[in-house]
Amino acid sequence: MEQHIQELRDFKHQHGHCRVPNDDEEYKKLSTWIHQIRSAYARLQRGDEAEICLTEERIAELKSLGLRLSTVNSEARGKRRLKELIEFRRVHGHFHVPRNCTQFPRLSSWLAKLRIVYHKRQRGEDISILVDTQLSALEKIGYDFHHSHVQNSQKRNGNRIRKRGQQCGPDLDGVRWNQRVQELQKFKEKHGHFKVPANAEEYKYLYSWVRNNQHHYNMLEKGEKSSRLTSERISQLAAIGFEFNGRCRKHSGPDLDGVRWNQRVQELQKFKEEHGHFKVPADVEAYKTLYSWVTNNQSHYNRLQKGEKSPRLTSERISKLTEIGFDFNQRGG
């Protein structure tokens, strides 16, 4: 870590900035390290453990050098693309951005990437706070992640894409909806509840569909618009006993995150028994993961102290660490 920071200092002294090129062989290793640092920082911002030991002191040191750790540029690009999409809809009356759109050449690929991430979120997978914000912004303007894109200016079978307001055969969306309702009813009959597991291959699509409907229901509760969940559909689900505020099971097995967290607590207790303190060293390979976990919890504790939210450090976890004598304000060795 120290060696790379010194290399970054030297680079800034020579060039006057920290924008290390990724296509220059001389700075290839430094560029890779910066990428890893940014990735670790993003994980910490999401409340996850980072592979690199990135303490608050390190973060402050890197920021003081002028290294950009956050995704400010990505955020600015996202806002530009959103404005382009709004303008596209104003002119064309829809969101079907073709790949060869000359007015906004990067808009179609940006939307394609967000659709992929949207489905990851629907499956319960972790996504960055920035991307989640972009998805919410698209939903607020009425973008439909299931039907708001086209593959080409014409479908592969040569048929024209239907014009806005025209039907092109049966209501396939309605057919799929009723199929999912029937699948949900069968699931309830078999299991006695509506808590569809996220990681069961058999229920992969049903889980995504349920989560999607819960999300759109929450939008309606907040006074926002939903392009998918009509009053008729709400009534249809309510009639079979479905609760929109009920949550699907993210794990069909044990609480893996809780298991890992308890393992780290046990490791920390063993460290205290062996060394007489909680100052986990940063430069010892055997304690690399434990050090990262400790500093991560201290970082989230500081966020709570400032009145910010922490998705990882609950009051129960704080009590558990306090009970074994851990000091959140103490720094590692």
Side-chain angles (χ1 to χ4, degrees):
M1 177 76 78
E2 287 294 342
Q3 181 183 346
H4 288 305
I5 291 177
Q6 186 55 51
E7 289 174 5
L8 185 61
R9 285 197 190 98
D10 294 340
F11 180 92
K12 184 179 181 181
H13 180 75
Q14 184 177 352
H15 300 278
H17 58 77
C18 294
R19 297 189 297 273
V20 181
N22 55 18
D23 55 354
D24 191 325
E25 192 64 31
E26 181 182 355
Y27 300 114
K28 188 175 182 180
K29 289 184 179 179
L30 182 59
S31 174
T32 301
W33 174 76
I34 289 174
H35 176 76
Q36 292 171 346
I37 288 292
R38 285 172 174 158
S39 176
Y41 182 77
R43 287 183 64 81
L44 290 174
Q45 293 296 100
R46 291 199 304 268
D48 298 332
E49 290 185 23
E51 295 179 359
I52 296 177
C53 300
L54 199 58
T55 64
E56 288 189 352
E57 289 81 1
R58 292 291 191 199
I59 291 171
E61 185 178 8
L62 291 169
K63 285 184 176 180
S64 68
L65 282 173
L67 181 67
R68 179 178 57 80
L69 294 175
S70 62
T71 52
V72 176
N73 288 350
S74 297
E75 185 177 358
R77 279 196 298 271
K79 288 180 179 179
R80 283 200 301 272
R81 297 290 171 265
L82 183 62
K83 287 181 180 179
E84 290 175 358
L85 184 61
I86 293 171
E87 176 63 17
F88 181 91
R89 183 184 61 176
R90 188 189 68 79
V91 174
H92 301 280
H94 57 75
F95 290 119
H96 304 303
V97 183
R99 290 177 181 171
N100 58 351
C101 177
T102 54
Q103 185 181 7
F104 306 118
R106 296 178 182 175
L107 184 56
S108 177
S109 60
W110 179 71
L111 289 171
K113 289 175 183 176
L114 285 180
R115 283 195 296 271
I116 293 171
V117 180
Y118 171 82
H119 290 297
K120 283 185 178 181
R121 186 181 73 175
Q122 294 301 100
R123 293 194 296 268
E125 299 179 24
D126 288 335
I127 63 174
S128 72
I129 295 173
L130 173 63
V131 175
D132 189 51
T133 302
Q134 292 177 351
L135 294 179
S136 298
L138 286 173
E139 288 170 334
K140 282 182 179 179
I141 65 171
Y143 184 82
D144 187 342
F145 287 93
H146 297 278
H147 301 290
S148 292
H149 66 284
V150 293
Q151 290 186 343
N152 288 298
S153 59
Q154 289 184 332
K155 290 186 176 179
R156 290 184 179 180
N157 62 6
N159 295 330
R160 284 187 175 181
I161 296 173
R162 72 184 182 199
K163 293 182 180 179
R164 196 176 182 223
Q166 288 183 337
Q167 286 292 342
C168 184
D171 178 12
L172 296 180
D173 182 62
V175 171
R176 280 193 294 268
W177 167 271
N178 290 325
Q179 286 174 344
R180 292 285 182 254
V181 173
Q182 290 173 9
E183 289 172 22
L184 187 61
Q185 283 181 295
K186 287 181 181 178
F187 180 90
K188 170 73 185 305
E189 291 169 6
K190 185 176 180 180
H191 301 279
H193 57 75
F194 291 109
K195 296 177 181 178
V196 184
N199 56 350
E201 186 66 26
E202 179 185 0
Y203 300 118
K204 182 171 68 173
Y205 296 110
L206 182 61
Y207 171 82
S208 176
W209 180 80
V210 169
R211 282 290 299 271
N212 190 24
N213 283 311
Q214 288 172 330
H215 175 72
H216 280 273
Y217 183 80
N218 289 334
M219 288 174 62
L220 291 170
E221 289 283 282
K222 294 174 185 177
E224 301 172 9
K225 292 182 180 180
S226 169
S227 57
R228 305 280 297 169
L229 197 60
T230 63
S231 57
E232 291 79 10
R233 290 182 170 183
I234 292 173
S235 299
Q236 190 177 1
L237 286 172
I240 65 171
F242 179 76
E243 293 184 8
F244 287 93
N245 293 322
R247 286 290 171 250
C248 300
R249 289 179 177 172
K250 194 165 184 178
H251 301 292
S252 60
D255 178 11
L256 298 180
D257 181 64
V259 170
R260 281 193 295 267
W261 200 88
N262 288 326
Q263 286 174 345
R264 294 285 179 264
V265 173
Q266 291 173 8
E267 290 174 20
L268 187 61
Q269 283 181 294
K270 285 182 180 179
F271 180 90
K272 170 72 184 306
E273 291 169 5
E274 291 178 10
H275 302 278
H277 57 76
F278 291 109
K279 296 179 180 178
V280 182
D283 54 355
V284 177
E285 187 65 30
Y287 300 119
K288 183 180 177 181
T289 305
L290 182 61
Y291 174 82
S292 176
W293 179 81
V294 167
T295 54
N296 189 22
N297 281 304
Q298 288 173 328
S299 174
H300 280 275
Y301 182 79
N302 289 334
R303 287 167 64 177
L304 289 170
Q305 292 294 97
K306 295 174 184 176
E308 300 174 11
K309 292 182 180 180
S310 169
R312 306 281 292 180
L313 194 61
T314 62
S315 57
E316 292 79 12
R317 290 182 172 184
I318 291 173
S319 298
K320 197 163 190 177
L321 286 172
T322 304
E323 285 172 7
I324 66 171
F326 180 75
D327 183 357
F328 284 93
N329 296 314
Q330 178 179 268
R331 291 303 164 196

